[in-house]
Amino acid sequence: MNAPQKYVYLFGSSRTEGSADMKNLLGGKGANLAEMCRLGITVPSGFTISTEACTAFTELGRETVLGMIRDEVLQGVKFVETEMGRRFGNASDPLLLSVRSGARASMPGMMDTILNLGLNDEAVLGLAAKSGNARFAWDSYRRFIQMYGDVVMGLKPLSKEEHDPFEIIIDTLKEKRQVKLDTDLDAQDLKELVQRFKALIRARTGHDFPTDPWEQLWGSIWAVFESWNNDRAKVYRELNDIPQSWGTAVNVQAMVFGNLGEHSATGVAFSRDAGTGEDLFNGEFLVNAQGEDVVAGIRTPQQVSLIGSRRWAELALVSEADRASKYPSLEELMPHIYAQLLHFETTLENHFKDMQDIEFTIQEGKLWMLQTRNGKRTGSAMVRIAMEMLQQGMIDEKTAIMRVAPDRLNELLHPVFDHQALADATPIARGLPASPGAATGQIVFFADDAESWAKQGKAVILVRQETSPEDLRGMSVAKGILTARGGMTSHAAVVARGMGKCCVSGAGAVHVDMKARSMRIGDTDYFEGDWISLNGTTGEVYLGKIATRDAELSGDFGKLMALADIHKHMEVRTNADTPDEARMARSFGATGIGLCRTEHMFFEGERITAVREMILADNEAQRRKALTKLLPIQRDDFEGLFAAMDGLPVTIRLLDPPLHEFLPHDDANQRLMAADMHVSLGKIKMRVEELHEFNPMMGHRGCRLGISYPEITEMQARAVFEAGLNMRAKGIDVKAEIMVPLVGTLREFNLQAEVIRRTAAAVFAERGETLPYLLGTMIETPRASLVADSIATQAEFFSFGTNDLTQMTLGFSRDDAGKFLPDYLKQGVYEHDPFRSIDQIGVGALVQMAVQKGRSVRPDIEVGVCGEHGGDPASVAFFHRAGLNYVSCSPYRVPIARLAAAQAAISG
Ligand code: ADP
Ligand code: MG
Ligand code: MG
């Protein structure tokens, strides 16, 4: 007989069934709670209901799942009762529980937690009597009703301008009592809150607050399962690529109390600095507090370590005397607890070999650990922590490389404020440096406004009292985030760091008026739409826009890149059209130009006139005349590129876009052009008409242009060879590669190759010297992939133009896909945007086939990719497996591609 399936796993001091490697089943939180028990760390006992139960809940519904897990849950509660020496539901000395969600991947604040479960009107009296602390008992009760009312009974704000309905009641009472802090309310006040909360619940839902602890427990378990499918959890999963199918586990755990008075506290801490990566234990705590108080920014949290506390005081402009008396560190306040916390933190970091983000509670002088996980961090912290852990011998080179998410390097590459502009700027407020970076934008006060403004292309700064998980989408599109409340571990700070977004939190001088859509600082009001700037590295807030400049890449970043270069097999080139871009890419580590789009040079200044003359030409002779004007300009362009890339290959693509792109299509500009060039408006209109195409993407472009007008190819080839010889004469090591676009047949390639080779011979004869060069083609039509073996008999290299290859293989026009692609992604037709991350099984198969066919006739043929996909980590991994020699991407993505290539090589 099969044993019945197990859904519940115990953890505690006498017995622990789970472990860290059971994350899929127990979620990250549950698996690590079990692991902490195994390490001998003090954790309140409890049990974890597996993610399989959640999946079953979604598929089969509540009743069926109840039948499946009821007995195990009853056993679990018995286990906790035995461990804690209290009975669940006992009115005189009740065991209270927390019910906590926890998915496989950490989704901080995304799903729901309920604390102090098991209280009712009788148990609260028992708790008060037993603890001798009526205030504590009523505080716990009102918190329970608040959380249960919100999570299980659905009492949310009625509109976006409204605050949490329970908080409104609290604020009203505080005003009446003329006190500022929650902790100033006494037992009687809290009792009154309980009454009012219950009345509110009755009024809004028509139901009484449930008094039966078991009803409370089951209600909470179902609510956690349901929370897996709430909007904010869905958004988070979308943003972080977490499958909807995973489900969440539920942790049911004995409560410990940080709200028992002056010797109790609750806090969060990081084993290293999540913003900078510095190897410094840091964190925040609040005395006489519970649960999310620290992150919710309700009171100003204190710092865990003394050094952290001093740094905080400096930033918050608090004097040392004030700091020591009003905001002492845990290290000063409870030195023994601090020492124990430090010990746990070190144990955990050494055990998991990564930066830990921990949650703890102190109950009357005893430390309890409530959570540990690998901490979220900024891109620069990622790099620094990986490199320092490598240096400290905690991890090896490959692990260090794998620790940094390539996309996060973005944050290190992006601009910071220009020093001079910053010195001239007017600071208007100061908060905490919650997440580094520089941001300039227009103020908005609501997350949905941030979204709609960003959609209109505006740069916005989201300003909030404090943020909550509902604000996620708005936060993700904002340039930066400013909050009036909340510390370094507030929701805004943690999420912003996770996103690598600039954030200043807890700027106390900022008073937000959501209704008026304004904020007041001192006696100045700032309104929606006003420009401000944030420095997330210092916490400074400035008036207006501030200019930015490029970041500097050295130190740990440089070391990581050097390591990546050792491990990767592919080269990383860049797509660059100008010497400036080429130089920047080179400083980012590009080892060549994989794509220079010559037409990009055609638009600048005087050039466009010469280009238009060529297009208006009625015959070859006129066209040649116009091309003669273009020749020196192109030669100059190429000379600049060769000089910038001295010693590295430069791949130059022949003219690619359809000619109509160079002509104005509106009447006004056509008139200007006519006047400029002394031709009739009618002639221009006629030419535009002639060049009109129904589907330009598949029209007269690419090598088709060069085949109709070989003199264009001739001019471009001549410019390349002359520039190459000129530069070589100046001591530059020139490595030219000429690339024919949009080839589908060998004959097409040969027609263009003949022109180029003939031109080379002519230039070399004139100069009496030769220049070695490679002549190859783009593979960007499906047909080219299919006949790659025949093309490779003549072409010396292939470069996959995956943008065109994708649109032609899928039959999606890149410019029109925006209309249906979002629906396609939502409905899972494609898993990712195929223009961002290569469609591996479709388009990818054509790539693999072409590589194989190409190499079958020319074993040493050089193959690379120059589409957008060259900078996408998942695509880079695919290209590695396909055996490409290089990827080429935009300059800013070069380091990302280098790291992705190394990770691909390590993962094999
Ligand atoms: P999240 O996943 O959002 O971090 P948690 O399940 O960690 O939510 O719960 C939030 C907070 O509630 C914890 O950080 C802790 O302060 C408090 N908490 C949870 N369980 C307990 C418990 N058993 N005893 C005391 N506090 C708890
Ligand atoms: Mg937590
Ligand atoms: Mg193309």
Side-chain angles (χ1 to χ4, degrees), residues 112-131:
D112 293 313
T113 301
I114 294 159
L115 303 180
N116 309 321
L117 187 141
L119 282 174
N120 53 33
D121 290 351
E122 283 145 42
V124 69
L125 301 177
L127 187 66
K130 191 77 193 173
S131 64

Side-chain angles (χ1 to χ4, degrees), residues 29 100-101 108-109 113 268 292 357-359 370-373:
K29 198 182 288 168
R100 320 170 62 191
S101 60
T113 301
V268 297
E292 309 279 59
D357 167 352
I358 60 184
E359 298 176 5
L370 289 170
Q371 191 170 340
T372 191
R373 61 185 163 212

Side-chain angles (χ1 to χ4, degrees), residues 653 656 701 741-742 778 780 801 803-805 807-808 814:
R653 178 180 68 182
D656 183 55
R701 55 169 288 220
L742 220 67
M778 290 184 80
E780 52 183 341
N803 300 340
D804 267 319
L805 192 58
Q807 60 179 354
M808 292 192 219
R814 204 171 15 144

Side-chain angles (χ1 to χ4, degrees), residues 301-373:
Q302 290 156 246
Q303 302 299 306
V304 165
S305 70
L306 176 57
I307 155 166
S309 184
R310 294 216 161 110
R311 286 190 190 176
W312 165 84
E314 213 179 294
L315 285 170
L317 305 178
V318 170
S319 73
E320 172 60 17
D322 267 5
R323 184 202 68 76
S325 62
K326 290 192 197 142
Y327 307 103
S329 65
L330 188 69
E331 191 172 355
E332 295 157 281
L333 203 62
M334 305 180 189
H336 292 301
I337 298 276
Y338 176 78
Q340 200 186 357
L341 187 63
L342 194 60
H343 171 66
F344 285 162
E345 169 267 321
T346 314
T347 306
L348 289 169
E349 190 182 275
N350 288 338
H351 182 69
F352 289 106
K353 301 193 186 327
D354 200 355
M355 187 259 270
Q356 294 299 297
D357 167 352
I358 60 184
E359 298 176 5
F360 62 92
T361 281
I362 300 160
Q363 175 176 339
E364 301 198 296
K366 181 169 163 72
L367 175 64
W368 295 90
M369 298 293 276
L370 289 170
Q371 191 170 340
T372 191
R373 61 185 163 212

Side-chain angles (χ1 to χ4, degrees), residues 748-767:
E748 277 177 306
F749 180 77
N750 283 344
L751 283 169
Q752 289 290 282
E754 191 274 322
V755 177
I756 296 161
R757 294 217 165 95
R758 179 165 30 88
T759 309
V763 174
F764 298 162
E766 289 161 25
R767 296 291 192 100

Side-chain angles (χ1 to χ4, degrees), residues 666-710:
D666 59 307
D667 190 66
N669 279 307
Q670 287 174 350
R671 280 173 198 280
L672 276 179
M673 176 178 160
D676 236 30
M677 298 179 60
H678 310 290
V679 294
S680 74
L681 182 62
K683 171 153 191 171
I684 293 175
K685 287 201 184 294
M686 201 173 76
R687 196 74 182 109
V688 168
E689 189 60 31
E690 280 167 9
L691 289 173
H692 171 79
E693 288 174 326
F694 288 101
N695 193 342
M697 189 250 296
M698 301 211 230
H700 201 180
R701 55 169 288 220
C703 63
R704 298 159 205 171
L705 283 175
I707 288 170
S708 300
Y709 311 115

